Amino acid sequence: MSHSILSALSEDLLVRVYGFLDPPCRKTWRLVSREFHRVDSLSRTSIRILRVEFLPALLFKHPNLSSLDLSVCPKLDDDAVLRIALDGAVSTSRLKSLNLSRATAVRARGLETLARLCRALERVDVSHCWAFGDREAAALSVAAGLRELKMDKCLSLSDVGLARIVVGCSKLNKISLKWCMEISDLGIDLLCKKCKDLKSLDVSYLKITNESVRSIALLPKLEVLEMVSCPLIDDAGLQYLENGSPSLKEIDVTRCDRVSSSSLISIVKGHPDLQHLKASHCISEISLSFLHNIKALKHLKTLWIDGARVSDSSLLTLSASCRALTELGVSRCVGVTDIGMMGLARNCSNLKALNLACCGFVTDAAISAVAQSCLNLESLQLESCHLITEKGLQSLGCYSKRLQELDLTDCDGVNDRGLEYISKCSNLLRLKLGLCANISDKGIFHIGSKCSKLLELDLYRCAGFGDDGLAAISRGCKSLNRLILSYCGELTDTGAEKIRQLEQLTHLELRGIKNITGTGLAAIARGCKKLAYLDLKQCENIDDSGFWALAYFSRNLRQINLCNCSVSDTALCMLMSNLSRVQDVDLVHLNRVTVEGFEFALRACCNRLKKLKLLAPLRFLLSSELLEVLHARGCRIRWD
Amino acid sequence: MEPEDDLCQNNWGGSSSSSSSKRREQVCFTSQHKWEDASILDYEMGMEEEPAFQENSNNNNGGQVNVDFLQGVRAQAWDPRTMLSNLSFMEEKIHELQDLVHLMVARNGQLQGRQEQLVAQQQQLITTDLTSIIIQLISTAGSLLPSVKHHNMSTAPGPFTGSALFPYPREANNLASQTLNNNTCEFDLPKPIVVEEEHEMKDEDDVEEGENLLPGSYEILQLEKEEILAPHTHFCTICGKGFKRDANLRMHMRGHGDEYKTPAALAKPNKEAVPGSEPMLIKRYSCPFPGCKRNKDHKKFQPLKTILCVKNHYKRTHCDKSFTCSRCHTKKFSVIADLKTHEKHCGKNKWLCSCGTTFSRKDKLFGHIALFQGHTPAIPLEETKPSAQKGSSACENSNNNNTGMVGFNLGSATNAIEEVAQPGFMDGKIRFEDSFSPLSFDTCNFGGFHEFPRPMFDDSESSFQMLISSACGFSPRNGGESVSNTSL
């Protein structure tokens, strides 16, 4: 392509063309010419930054950014934020979305600076910042225009901090407080009083009582309410919702132990437009009255009743009335048999997701019926359905052309023939075959050759296949980004050599593969540059050469498990100092590493670690300064 | 009234005449013990019944002594001799009472057909005696309390001084009443009359909001400012001594001569109304302050219930707050009881609002925040200071820190180069080498290992590049991608 033709295109035309490209192509686009690069810089609205050193430059280069993701930027801290603030050239006024998940080193000072810098801020994610406490909340509350806030697992956040946010950001319409264990009824009550625009609320795992539900019921615009595993809420609390929150569309009461079907009935009565009802593991039985009320929900799309006793007749009644159902969860339901499933398949032809995990009585007949009727089926979970054989999988292969996700973990009946049938589902993205002992290289070969779109493959403890199968996978499934090969004992360095072809791989588990040595790991490290998660637990035969290669090539590695590895002092030190994005490390039972080795390696990476697992005796052997620094930088240490 | 009183006196006289019989005393020794117990425990009842017994105590021969004794306690500090005489006096009184009850028991058998009125009289008589014994006992005990100041004792009525002695007033009260009932057959205690004591009236202003008296259905009295603020409202016409309560005045009057000891003179003035006359018009009070809601000229006038209410209201609303809390030195009060209540809880208010208001309870703070726009809970500074220092300003600290061990690792890439030149860093380096010497680096291929202190603090991508490539023979790799693929 000659340069002159390209220069003839006007800028707005280029921008339009750019708009049609998907992310990988945009990367290539940038490299075409200076003009193209400029268009990319100006049009880019979203960026994820891995190294904090480049943050000011990148912000300067992309002035129209609206979304900034700093969740994988391990060295981000208050000082880095302050430096950006002092840099006058950086424009952050258009930034609307900010992801600070796991940025534990950013404390109140940095957050306040950020909140003041980004005046248009609407979405903030500070989930998993365990050090995010009341002061941080107070700092964040400066961002008055905030609409969405995710604070999952902000363990230090108390009612006081929530109150600060609630008062400061009264326009909130979505907030997630999952795992914020300090939050009590008082905080929720204030939230519901001050933020009347709230549409989505997640209070899962909180120790809140019925009083909170009473406050929540007063929210006029609430549409989504998630309260998974709230152990103190019972039927009396849920009764408040019958006449409250008129626009409720989705409710999740999964694992609320004290909730029974009677209160669910009252919710259903009060909200005939309910679309998603998730009540897994809280009701023991589908009673007639419950069924009767569920029937009235004409718009019901999702129903999760996992763990309940469901008879075939009730499943038939249910499916006959809720024909709009697209997602059904009946895992671990006692009483689900072929008759019920066939009735369901007949009635609910729109079904897209079906969870039948641990429904031991379901056979091929049911699967065939579902496959033949529900042509839109995208996700099917059949974990531990031992009666399923290749016959059922045959119909899946024939009819379910849209199937994207298939979970066959622990299905004894799956064999090579079955995999051959499955491979006909060419749109398959996620396939789980863990614990299927009867599959060999032959079956894996079929998967590798036909399922080219596969993103995730789980072969946990599939001891029957070896390097040849892996070679087929590596050849065929080029977009694979998640591969679990733990305890596949047949694999050797030859197989590892093949894995290097999977350039998109980000998540790799090689736990307990004794035959892989340093050579194999070096090959993987050289090939899979995007690797972010690596599990090498009990890979005892990997020597230092492998770890050196890892240290050298896998610069994107964020999480690594080195338990029981024979890594030496020097190799560990190299790994820890060179892997500049590593955030989460498991370093248990490293027999060749001395205390000095640990000390040195941790000193090398202590300013970016977020999570660390060590043997308990080290607590007293490592220097206290090191532990202090780790703590101050927001690193959490689990002593094993 | 008068015939009844006569009857009582007769009974009393009869009983006291037989009080010298030793035999009976000994027989009833055990029961006497119980009586004493009961009287000890029953202090709170004494408090509640105070006017009742004061009213009734005019039937009592020992009344005079009682009052004198009380005032003696007020006038002077603890004196063992007085105490001894008090105790012996009480002992005598108890014996007298014992005899009286004996007599009544004996008579009861003979005079079955007697009218019930007499029985009631007897009961009243015993109650009166008992309460007078109780109050004496408590006053005596009160004089022993070193913490109670003389001043307090002279202002507060006798029963209060003893209150600190008994940790569980209610239970004690119940126990006492049970004991009484068990020991004296159908001995009925008079129902506690609600007395408008100072401590009960603290919330009076709020309480009264609920009262809906029709205008005109009550009589409005208005005291003058001076009258309200006067320390005493009742004065002795003979010696001019002032009292806060008219019951105390009446007690005092008995010292001026026998004519003040008659039941009529000692009776509560209000009760002297002629029997059979119309029920008295309810009295309500108006605040003399013009424009006050409690002033009778106000459109939405809300009357005050008692004089005490008037006093407290006037002090709280229209007077300077002259009592300052000795703990926080900020809160001020005009009523001393309010100050005392506050001082009990002062310093416990840890829930602070941005407006400066403090709360002792979290829910109260949150209620306050829910009510007012823009108010937020304040976060105390000292809680977070250490972590903030560690987290964000450790960089500055490290520059001053000679050991450098904590500090240098915190230095981010740009600082690292500066820090290289610092003595602190050098210290760190030396230590790092020391710690590694036993690991025998010489066996490793890369001899240059000693010379790479930088990468420990600056993880620029090239730090190890040369080392590894020379050692392991890897080809130089492409520059790390700093920006991931995700976009839009």
Side-chain angles (χ1 to χ4, degrees), chain A residues 112 234 517 640:
Chain A
E112 186 167 349
D234 58 21
T517 66
D640 200 32

Side-chain angles (χ1 to χ4, degrees), chain B residues 79-184:
Chain B
D79 176 10
R81 269 173 301 174
T82 338
M83 175 64 81
L84 191 66
S85 71
N86 288 343
L87 287 174
S88 50
F89 170 73
M90 273 189 287
E91 192 186 22
E92 205 179 301
K93 286 275 296 194
I94 289 167
H95 288 173
E96 275 177 16
L97 186 62
Q98 215 178 359
D99 289 343
L100 177 66
V101 178
H102 268 295
L103 197 70
M104 276 156 59
V105 172
R107 265 196 207 171
N108 225 8
Q110 299 164 8
L111 312 166
Q112 288 284 344
R114 269 294 186 89
Q115 67 256 63
E116 287 175 13
Q117 205 187 1
L118 189 64
V119 177
Q121 284 301 318
Q122 287 173 344
Q123 285 174 0
Q124 203 183 359
L125 198 65
I126 291 171
T127 316
T128 317
D129 273 11
L130 256 179
T131 36
S132 97
I133 293 171
I134 289 163
I135 190 174
Q136 279 171 26
L137 193 71
I138 288 166
S139 319
T140 315
S143 71
L144 280 168
L145 276 180
S147 63
V148 179
K149 287 176 188 168
H150 175 72
H151 165 74
N152 287 352
M153 282 169 62
S154 62
T155 52
F160 289 117
T161 54
S163 61
L165 280 174
F166 309 103
Y168 305 109
R170 279 289 157 206
E171 283 86 328
N173 189 4
N174 293 338
L175 188 67
S177 58
Q178 275 173 15
T179 329
L180 283 173
N181 284 332
N182 292 343
N183 283 314
T184 60

Side-chain angles (χ1 to χ4, degrees), chain A residues 421-637:
Chain A
Y421 294 133
I422 290 171
S423 67
K424 288 179 186 161
C425 304
S426 52
N427 283 312
L428 216 53
L429 299 180
R430 272 173 281 275
L431 180 60
K432 293 186 180 172
L433 297 169
L435 298 165
C436 295
N438 296 326
I439 55 179
S440 69
D441 286 337
K442 211 173 145 193
I444 299 291
F445 179 80
H446 288 294
I447 299 291
S449 53
K450 288 184 187 148
C451 301
S452 57
K453 292 183 181 172
L454 216 55
L455 294 177
E456 182 181 339
L457 182 60
D458 183 353
L459 294 168
Y460 180 83
R461 282 192 199 272
C462 292
F465 87 104
D467 295 335
D468 295 337
L470 200 53
I473 295 286
S474 309
R475 266 197 312 276
C477 314
K478 286 289 184 196
S479 45
L480 209 62
N481 60 32
R482 196 178 155 96
L483 181 60
I484 296 163
L485 298 171
S486 299
Y487 304 107
C488 297
E490 301 283 304
L491 296 181
T492 65
D493 282 347
T494 325
E497 279 283 343
K498 307 296 180 199
I499 295 177
R500 66 176 293 186
Q501 297 171 18
L502 298 169
E503 289 183 358
Q504 300 298 320
L505 211 59
T506 58
H507 182 113
L508 180 60
E509 293 183 26
L510 298 172
R511 209 176 264 213
I513 305 183
K514 312 276 190 215
N515 295 330
I516 287 189
T517 66
T519 327
L521 183 59
I524 292 172
R526 249 176 291 177
C528 313
K529 292 271 178 56
K530 289 192 172 174
L531 216 53
Y533 178 98
L534 183 60
D535 189 344
L536 296 174
K537 189 173 178 179
Q538 293 172 2
C539 291
E540 289 157 1
N541 290 318
I542 297 177
D543 57 16
D544 279 2
S545 66
F547 294 114
W548 286 345
L550 201 64
Y552 181 67
F553 290 109
S554 297
R555 293 311 178 86
N556 288 309
L557 211 58
R558 284 201 290 275
Q559 191 173 345
I560 187 165
N561 186 341
L562 292 174
C563 300
N564 294 87
C565 281
S566 57
V567 64
S568 72
D569 274 338
T570 39
L572 182 66
C573 180
M574 293 251 291
L575 274 174
M576 291 299 107
S577 57
N578 248 26
L579 296 177
S580 57
R581 271 157 224 155
V582 95
Q583 298 182 28
D584 185 340
V585 197
D586 275 20
L587 300 174
V588 181
H589 297 299
L590 304 185
N591 295 329
R592 289 182 58 201
V593 181
T594 60
V595 175
E596 287 81 10
F598 275 115
E599 175 86 21
F600 193 28
L602 291 176
R603 274 179 188 274
C605 61
C606 63
N607 63 349
R608 49 183 185 262
L609 280 191
K610 304 293 181 209
K611 240 176 160 181
L612 179 61
K613 191 173 168 186
L614 290 173
L615 270 186
L618 280 175
R619 174 188 287 222
F620 308 104
L621 297 172
L622 293 174
S623 71
S624 55
E625 301 104 298
L626 173 67
L627 298 180
E628 267 173 37
V629 173
L630 282 171
H631 183 80
R633 297 289 300 193
C635 176
R636 254 164 56 112
I637 307 178

Side-chain angles (χ1 to χ4, degrees), chain A residues 18-19 21-24 26-27 30 43-51 53-54 58 75 77-79 83 105 107 109 134-135 138 158-161 163-164 167-168 182 184 186-187 190 193-194 504 522 526 529-530 545 548-549 551-553 555-556 569-570 573-574 577-578 580-581 594 596-597 599-601 603-608 625-626 628-629 631-633, chain B residues 351 354 362-363 365-367 369-381 383-385 387-388 390-396 403 405-415 431-432 435-436 438-439 441 444-446 449 452 455-469 471-472 474-478 480-488:
Chain A
Y18 179 84
L21 299 177
D22 52 354
R26 287 180 179 182
K27 207 169 165 185
R30 274 207 296 274
S43 318
R44 194 171 178 124
T45 57
S46 163
I47 197 166
R48 188 163 74 146
I49 291 175
L50 299 178
R51 292 176 64 92
E53 298 91 297
F54 300 136
L58 286 168
K75 285 195 350 177
D77 59 7
D78 282 357
D79 295 316
R83 272 198 298 279
R107 296 287 169 85
R109 213 156 54 108
D134 293 342
R135 270 184 79 80
S158 78
D159 286 336
V160 172
R164 293 295 292 243
V167 173
E182 300 285 310
S184 74
L186 290 173
L190 193 68
K193 277 182 183 154
K194 294 278 183 181
Q504 300 298 320
R526 249 176 291 177
K529 292 271 178 56
K530 289 192 172 174
S545 66
W548 286 345
Y552 181 67
F553 290 109
R555 293 311 178 86
N556 288 309
D569 274 338
T570 39
C573 180
M574 293 251 291
S577 57
N578 248 26
S580 57
R581 271 157 224 155
T594 60
E596 287 81 10
E599 175 86 21
F600 193 28
R603 274 179 188 274
C605 61
C606 63
N607 63 349
R608 49 183 185 262
E625 301 104 298
L626 173 67
E628 267 173 37
V629 173
H631 183 80
R633 297 289 300 193
Chain B
W351 300 103
S354 57
K362 191 181 175 186
D363 54 339
L365 168 66
F366 275 69
I369 286 163
L371 205 61
F372 294 99
Q373 204 72 38
H375 287 212
T376 59
I379 296 161
L381 279 172
E383 251 181 47
T384 41
K385 253 186 183 170
S387 68
K390 265 185 207 166
S392 44
S393 53
C395 250
E396 287 96 55
T403 57
M405 290 308 278
V406 186
F408 69 74
N409 281 318
L410 288 174
S412 43
T414 47
N415 292 2
R431 219 193 281 185
F432 131 57
S435 64
F436 253 70
L439 298 177
F441 274 118
C444 298
N445 281 340
F446 36 97
F449 197 62
F452 77 100
M456 304 313 297
F457 328 106
D458 165 25
D459 55 6
S460 64
E461 306 252 335
S462 57
S463 31
F464 271 93
Q465 190 169 334
M466 245 174 49
L467 290 168
I468 302 172
S469 52
C472 314
F474 296 136
S475 58
R477 68 199 162 74
N478 299 331
E481 289 158 358
S482 60
V483 180
S484 79
N485 285 328
T486 54
S487 58
L488 282 178

Side-chain angles (χ1 to χ4, degrees), chain A residues 120-134:
Chain A
L121 211 55
E122 285 181 3
R123 277 184 301 277
V124 172
D125 182 350
V126 288
S127 53
H128 302 282
C129 295
W130 60 272
F132 185 97
D134 293 342

